[in-house]
Amino acid sequence: MKIKRFRPNPPQALAFGFILMIVTGSILLSLPISSSDRTGMSFIDALFMATSATCVTGLSFFNIGQDFSFFGQIVLLLLVQIGGLGFMTIATLAALVFRRRISFRERLILQEAMNQNTTEGIVRLIRKVLLYALVIEAVGALILTIRWTFEMPFGRAVYFGVFHSISIFNNAGFDLFGMFADRRGSLMHYVEDPIVNLVTVLLIILGGIGFIVISDLLTYPKTRKLTLHSKVVLSVSAGLIGLGTLVIFLFEFTNPMTMQPLSPIGKTLGAMFQSVTARSAGLSTLDVGMLRQATQFFMIILMFIGAAPGSSGGGIKVTTFAILIGAMIAMVRGKEDIVMFRHRIAKDRIYKAITFTLLSFFLIVFAAMVLSTTEDFPFLGILFEVTSAYGTAGMSMGLTSQLTTFGKVVIILLMFVGRLGPVTLAFTLTSKSEKELFRYPEGKITIG
């Protein structure tokens, strides 16, 4: 009897690749050499950190600058870089270096990884992805290095510049400033520093809009055209950043624990930074736990929306959000079609957007309900943590350091599903769908 060989479909191959990376990272991080005190960490803690890095989330109950050795920090950084670009992108780079032909099956996996609708030009896109990422990270590292040479030795400034540029561009949110005993966490020390703020915000935005949009912007001077995808991503992202900055500014303007002591420029920079970072990056210049509840809940909404498709950010994605808003506007105006920039949105895109949003919403609600019974923490903080994990935003109100073992497992699963996307995971777990041979008669039910 001939044994049928298992050949994973593209979503399954993508999921298995991430699992392999996470397991490998967990083993490396659990080694004594990865800890600064050489005692090692438990496997569940190593698994949590490896998942957070590979899924470019940034949640951590460790002080990265103090608790991890140089080796451990480099392992985290490599996981962030590979996880942000995608393991198939790195594998394609290796294949191109060794002049190996990219098979059609591998192109299908790349198509799935990059959220493309076709395999046409996918290898060319991967080359652009690698080039753009390296150039953007190098420029970011250079500027940050120059800035930090004014307050630390040159060698450390270079290391900090490279580490944070990669972490920020890939929307991971890990930082090393915990090694300084006289500083607060994340980038709070630089809340009024225009250079650190603007460079960080620009890196986050470039990492969050996706390589397809970056490619479109770079070719715009020649073509004078942007694709519908790029127009939607750029317009919705700009709108969310502007609205987020205004809302956070108004809510926190008089909060003595966050923005009240800051100068007018500091208040503006702080509001803008939180608006940008909430959708995927995980860094912060304000104490998230001290924000007003209205601000925290608003940030939950931003984390749920997330970044753009084809980026390292999570959430339901800005294009999905745009389709949902478009559907609402079309319904209110009595229109049958959703029209954006003089283009009608296909019905299958609308169904996918609704499915993706509902699956994400139900998953977050279910996880929050479960953790509210196992974790001793206010519900808003639990909802914040769950949404942050699923949206790979990496922000926390303090729950991460208090998670039980069960809570860590739940957050690990959320980070993994959030990076892959629930629809991709559903395709991974289900068998190949069969074409329907008939359709049922149409029925009508009352709505509203």
Side-chain angles (χ1 to χ4, degrees), residues 3 15 39 77 80 122 149 160 189 215 221 229 233 246 267 275 358-359 364 379 427:
I3 299 176
T39 59
L77 196 61
V80 166
I122 192 69
T149 50
F160 268 51
H189 183 73
S215 178
H229 171 83
V233 168
L246 178 62
K267 288 182 173 71
S275 174
L358 288 177
L359 282 174
I364 288 173
F379 182 75
F427 283 135

PDB file of all heavy atoms in Angstrom, residues 3 15 39 77 80 122 149 160 189 215 221 229 233 246 267 275 358-359 364 379 427:
ATOM      1  N   ILE A   3       1.902   4.912   0.751  1.00  0.00           N
ATOM      2  CA  ILE A   3       1.567   5.935   1.734  1.00  0.00           C
ATOM      3  C   ILE A   3       1.557   7.298   1.052  1.00  0.00           C
ATOM      4  O   ILE A   3       2.518   7.683   0.381  1.00  0.00           O
ATOM      5  CB  ILE A   3       2.592   5.942   2.887  1.00  0.00           C
ATOM      6  CG1 ILE A   3       2.586   4.590   3.598  1.00  0.00           C
ATOM      7  CG2 ILE A   3       2.274   7.063   3.870  1.00  0.00           C
ATOM      8  CD1 ILE A   3       3.620   4.474   4.685  1.00  0.00           C
ATOM      9  N   ALA A  15       2.172  28.513   8.519  1.00  0.00           N
ATOM     10  CA  ALA A  15       2.002  28.270   9.949  1.00  0.00           C
ATOM     11  C   ALA A  15       3.124  27.393  10.495  1.00  0.00           C
ATOM     12  O   ALA A  15       3.692  27.670  11.559  1.00  0.00           O
ATOM     13  CB  ALA A  15       0.643  27.610  10.210  1.00  0.00           C
ATOM     14  N   THR A  39      21.677  31.659  34.416  1.00  0.00           N
ATOM     15  CA  THR A  39      20.863  30.615  35.059  1.00  0.00           C
ATOM     16  C   THR A  39      19.809  30.057  34.119  1.00  0.00           C
ATOM     17  O   THR A  39      19.217  29.021  34.388  1.00  0.00           O
ATOM     18  CB  THR A  39      20.165  31.177  36.314  1.00  0.00           C
ATOM     19  OG1 THR A  39      19.333  32.283  35.941  1.00  0.00           O
ATOM     20  CG2 THR A  39      21.192  31.638  37.344  1.00  0.00           C
ATOM     21  N   LEU A  77      16.637  39.729  18.471  1.00  0.00           N
ATOM     22  CA  LEU A  77      16.679  40.623  17.316  1.00  0.00           C
ATOM     23  C   LEU A  77      16.552  39.854  16.004  1.00  0.00           C
ATOM     24  O   LEU A  77      15.865  40.296  15.081  1.00  0.00           O
ATOM     25  CB  LEU A  77      17.988  41.422  17.331  1.00  0.00           C
ATOM     26  CG  LEU A  77      18.046  42.660  16.431  1.00  0.00           C
ATOM     27  CD1 LEU A  77      16.976  43.658  16.848  1.00  0.00           C
ATOM     28  CD2 LEU A  77      19.424  43.306  16.479  1.00  0.00           C
ATOM     29  N   VAL A  80      13.003  38.826  15.552  1.00  0.00           N
ATOM     30  CA  VAL A  80      12.215  39.986  15.143  1.00  0.00           C
ATOM     31  C   VAL A  80      12.406  40.261  13.649  1.00  0.00           C
ATOM     32  O   VAL A  80      11.438  40.485  12.916  1.00  0.00           O
ATOM     33  CB  VAL A  80      12.615  41.234  15.972  1.00  0.00           C
ATOM     34  CG1 VAL A  80      12.070  42.509  15.334  1.00  0.00           C
ATOM     35  CG2 VAL A  80      12.106  41.107  17.398  1.00  0.00           C
ATOM     36  N   ILE A 122       6.081  38.060  -7.845  1.00  0.00           N
ATOM     37  CA  ILE A 122       6.258  37.897  -6.403  1.00  0.00           C
ATOM     38  C   ILE A 122       7.726  37.873  -6.010  1.00  0.00           C
ATOM     39  O   ILE A 122       8.114  38.437  -4.981  1.00  0.00           O
ATOM     40  CB  ILE A 122       5.524  36.613  -5.899  1.00  0.00           C
ATOM     41  CG1 ILE A 122       5.446  36.603  -4.367  1.00  0.00           C
ATOM     42  CG2 ILE A 122       6.205  35.349  -6.411  1.00  0.00           C
ATOM     43  CD1 ILE A 122       4.542  37.634  -3.795  1.00  0.00           C
ATOM     44  N   THR A 149      24.977  59.074  20.576  1.00  0.00           N
ATOM     45  CA  THR A 149      26.401  59.270  20.890  1.00  0.00           C
ATOM     46  C   THR A 149      26.592  60.442  21.853  1.00  0.00           C
ATOM     47  O   THR A 149      27.647  60.555  22.487  1.00  0.00           O
ATOM     48  CB  THR A 149      27.221  59.549  19.614  1.00  0.00           C
ATOM     49  OG1 THR A 149      26.597  60.583  18.851  1.00  0.00           O
ATOM     50  CG2 THR A 149      27.360  58.297  18.771  1.00  0.00           C
ATOM     51  N   PHE A 160      22.727  50.275  20.159  1.00  0.00           N
ATOM     52  CA  PHE A 160      21.372  50.749  20.449  1.00  0.00           C
ATOM     53  C   PHE A 160      20.678  51.205  19.166  1.00  0.00           C
ATOM     54  O   PHE A 160      19.489  50.948  18.962  1.00  0.00           O
ATOM     55  CB  PHE A 160      21.423  51.900  21.463  1.00  0.00           C
ATOM     56  CG  PHE A 160      21.306  51.462  22.894  1.00  0.00           C
ATOM     57  CD1 PHE A 160      22.120  50.450  23.396  1.00  0.00           C
ATOM     58  CD2 PHE A 160      20.383  52.049  23.740  1.00  0.00           C
ATOM     59  CE1 PHE A 160      22.018  50.042  24.723  1.00  0.00           C
ATOM     60  CE2 PHE A 160      20.262  51.646  25.062  1.00  0.00           C
ATOM     61  CZ  PHE A 160      21.087  50.641  25.554  1.00  0.00           C
ATOM     62  N   HIS A 189      11.748  58.398  28.480  1.00  0.00           N
ATOM     63  CA  HIS A 189      12.788  59.397  28.724  1.00  0.00           C
ATOM     64  C   HIS A 189      12.856  60.411  27.584  1.00  0.00           C
ATOM     65  O   HIS A 189      13.344  61.530  27.768  1.00  0.00           O
ATOM     66  CB  HIS A 189      14.140  58.683  28.882  1.00  0.00           C
ATOM     67  CG  HIS A 189      15.270  59.593  29.215  1.00  0.00           C
ATOM     68  ND1 HIS A 189      15.424  60.177  30.457  1.00  0.00           N
ATOM     69  CD2 HIS A 189      16.308  60.055  28.463  1.00  0.00           C
ATOM     70  CE1 HIS A 189      16.516  60.929  30.460  1.00  0.00           C
ATOM     71  NE2 HIS A 189      17.068  60.873  29.261  1.00  0.00           N
ATOM     72  N   SER A 215       6.770  50.516  -2.203  1.00  0.00           N
ATOM     73  CA  SER A 215       7.175  50.355  -3.603  1.00  0.00           C
ATOM     74  C   SER A 215       6.391  51.303  -4.508  1.00  0.00           C
ATOM     75  O   SER A 215       6.955  51.935  -5.417  1.00  0.00           O
ATOM     76  CB  SER A 215       6.957  48.904  -4.051  1.00  0.00           C
ATOM     77  OG  SER A 215       7.303  48.729  -5.400  1.00  0.00           O
ATOM     78  N   PRO A 221       6.969  59.047  -8.643  1.00  0.00           N
ATOM     79  CA  PRO A 221       7.503  60.137  -9.482  1.00  0.00           C
ATOM     80  C   PRO A 221       7.602  59.762 -10.960  1.00  0.00           C
ATOM     81  O   PRO A 221       7.500  60.635 -11.829  1.00  0.00           O
ATOM     82  CB  PRO A 221       8.898  60.379  -8.879  1.00  0.00           C
ATOM     83  CG  PRO A 221       8.772  59.946  -7.465  1.00  0.00           C
ATOM     84  CD  PRO A 221       7.852  58.759  -7.509  1.00  0.00           C
ATOM     85  N   HIS A 229      -5.037  49.924  -3.564  1.00  0.00           N
ATOM     86  CA  HIS A 229      -4.581  49.460  -2.246  1.00  0.00           C
ATOM     87  C   HIS A 229      -3.780  50.554  -1.540  1.00  0.00           C
ATOM     88  O   HIS A 229      -4.020  50.860  -0.364  1.00  0.00           O
ATOM     89  CB  HIS A 229      -3.728  48.205  -2.412  1.00  0.00           C
ATOM     90  CG  HIS A 229      -3.041  47.768  -1.148  1.00  0.00           C
ATOM     91  ND1 HIS A 229      -3.665  47.015  -0.179  1.00  0.00           N
ATOM     92  CD2 HIS A 229      -1.782  48.000  -0.694  1.00  0.00           C
ATOM     93  CE1 HIS A 229      -2.826  46.794   0.816  1.00  0.00           C
ATOM     94  NE2 HIS A 229      -1.679  47.376   0.532  1.00  0.00           N
ATOM     95  N   VAL A 233      -4.747  52.511   1.948  1.00  0.00           N
ATOM     96  CA  VAL A 233      -3.858  52.391   3.105  1.00  0.00           C
ATOM     97  C   VAL A 233      -3.362  53.753   3.564  1.00  0.00           C
ATOM     98  O   VAL A 233      -3.402  54.078   4.762  1.00  0.00           O
ATOM     99  CB  VAL A 233      -2.654  51.476   2.775  1.00  0.00           C
ATOM    100  CG1 VAL A 233      -1.590  51.571   3.862  1.00  0.00           C
ATOM    101  CG2 VAL A 233      -3.108  50.032   2.629  1.00  0.00           C
ATOM    102  N   LEU A 246      -5.485  63.713  17.948  1.00  0.00           N
ATOM    103  CA  LEU A 246      -6.436  64.682  18.499  1.00  0.00           C
ATOM    104  C   LEU A 246      -7.148  64.130  19.728  1.00  0.00           C
ATOM    105  O   LEU A 246      -7.243  64.810  20.763  1.00  0.00           O
ATOM    106  CB  LEU A 246      -7.458  65.063  17.423  1.00  0.00           C
ATOM    107  CG  LEU A 246      -8.564  66.042  17.855  1.00  0.00           C
ATOM    108  CD1 LEU A 246      -7.956  67.377  18.271  1.00  0.00           C
ATOM    109  CD2 LEU A 246      -9.578  66.239  16.732  1.00  0.00           C
ATOM    110  N   LYS A 267       3.489  67.741  24.605  1.00  0.00           N
ATOM    111  CA  LYS A 267       2.123  67.207  24.578  1.00  0.00           C
ATOM    112  C   LYS A 267       1.758  66.716  23.177  1.00  0.00           C
ATOM    113  O   LYS A 267       1.182  65.639  23.001  1.00  0.00           O
ATOM    114  CB  LYS A 267       1.118  68.273  25.028  1.00  0.00           C
ATOM    115  CG  LYS A 267       1.150  68.607  26.519  1.00  0.00           C
ATOM    116  CD  LYS A 267       0.075  69.629  26.844  1.00  0.00           C
ATOM    117  CE  LYS A 267      -0.049  69.872  28.347  1.00  0.00           C
ATOM    118  NZ  LYS A 267       1.099  70.603  28.895  1.00  0.00           N
ATOM    119  N   SER A 275      -0.625  57.687  19.283  1.00  0.00           N
ATOM    120  CA  SER A 275      -1.561  57.391  18.204  1.00  0.00           C
ATOM    121  C   SER A 275      -0.935  56.455  17.178  1.00  0.00           C
ATOM    122  O   SER A 275      -1.584  55.517  16.705  1.00  0.00           O
ATOM    123  CB  SER A 275      -1.993  58.693  17.522  1.00  0.00           C
ATOM    124  OG  SER A 275      -2.786  58.433  16.385  1.00  0.00           O
ATOM    125  N   LEU A 358     -15.241  39.661  12.377  1.00  0.00           N
ATOM    126  CA  LEU A 358     -16.045  38.919  13.356  1.00  0.00           C
ATOM    127  C   LEU A 358     -15.226  37.839  14.057  1.00  0.00           C
ATOM    128  O   LEU A 358     -15.326  37.663  15.275  1.00  0.00           O
ATOM    129  CB  LEU A 358     -17.268  38.306  12.674  1.00  0.00           C
ATOM    130  CG  LEU A 358     -18.368  39.287  12.272  1.00  0.00           C
ATOM    131  CD1 LEU A 358     -19.497  38.569  11.548  1.00  0.00           C
ATOM    132  CD2 LEU A 358     -18.909  40.025  13.504  1.00  0.00           C
ATOM    133  N   LEU A 359     -14.408  37.119  13.293  1.00  0.00           N
ATOM    134  CA  LEU A 359     -13.544  36.106  13.909  1.00  0.00           C
ATOM    135  C   LEU A 359     -12.595  36.750  14.921  1.00  0.00           C
ATOM    136  O   LEU A 359     -12.396  36.226  16.027  1.00  0.00           O
ATOM    137  CB  LEU A 359     -12.743  35.366  12.836  1.00  0.00           C
ATOM    138  CG  LEU A 359     -13.471  34.289  12.036  1.00  0.00           C
ATOM    139  CD1 LEU A 359     -12.576  33.752  10.925  1.00  0.00           C
ATOM    140  CD2 LEU A 359     -13.914  33.142  12.946  1.00  0.00           C
ATOM    141  N   ILE A 364     -11.071  37.726  20.549  1.00  0.00           N
ATOM    142  CA  ILE A 364     -10.637  38.651  21.603  1.00  0.00           C
ATOM    143  C   ILE A 364     -11.598  38.620  22.789  1.00  0.00           C
ATOM    144  O   ILE A 364     -11.175  38.566  23.946  1.00  0.00           O
ATOM    145  CB  ILE A 364     -10.516  40.080  21.027  1.00  0.00           C
ATOM    146  CG1 ILE A 364      -9.289  40.174  20.116  1.00  0.00           C
ATOM    147  CG2 ILE A 364     -10.432  41.115  22.147  1.00  0.00           C
ATOM    148  CD1 ILE A 364      -9.187  41.489  19.374  1.00  0.00           C
ATOM    149  N   PHE A 379     -10.699  44.252  34.452  1.00  0.00           N
ATOM    150  CA  PHE A 379     -11.105  43.741  33.146  1.00  0.00           C
ATOM    151  C   PHE A 379     -10.587  44.600  31.993  1.00  0.00           C
ATOM    152  O   PHE A 379     -10.204  44.067  30.948  1.00  0.00           O
ATOM    153  CB  PHE A 379     -12.635  43.652  33.057  1.00  0.00           C
ATOM    154  CG  PHE A 379     -13.110  43.092  31.750  1.00  0.00           C
ATOM    155  CD1 PHE A 379     -13.008  41.734  31.479  1.00  0.00           C
ATOM    156  CD2 PHE A 379     -13.635  43.934  30.768  1.00  0.00           C
ATOM    157  CE1 PHE A 379     -13.436  41.213  30.263  1.00  0.00           C
ATOM    158  CE2 PHE A 379     -14.059  43.419  29.551  1.00  0.00           C
ATOM    159  CZ  PHE A 379     -13.952  42.058  29.296  1.00  0.00           C
ATOM    160  N   PHE A 427      -7.873  28.244   7.208  1.00  0.00           N
ATOM    161  CA  PHE A 427      -7.485  27.486   6.016  1.00  0.00           C
ATOM    162  C   PHE A 427      -6.448  26.425   6.358  1.00  0.00           C
ATOM    163  O   PHE A 427      -6.382  25.373   5.741  1.00  0.00           O
ATOM    164  CB  PHE A 427      -6.933  28.423   4.942  1.00  0.00           C
ATOM    165  CG  PHE A 427      -7.995  29.178   4.202  1.00  0.00           C
ATOM    166  CD1 PHE A 427      -7.866  30.539   3.955  1.00  0.00           C
ATOM    167  CD2 PHE A 427      -9.145  28.539   3.743  1.00  0.00           C
ATOM    168  CE1 PHE A 427      -8.836  31.238   3.275  1.00  0.00           C
ATOM    169  CE2 PHE A 427     -10.132  29.225   3.066  1.00  0.00           C
ATOM    170  CZ  PHE A 427      -9.971  30.584   2.832  1.00  0.00           C
TER     171      PHE A 427
END
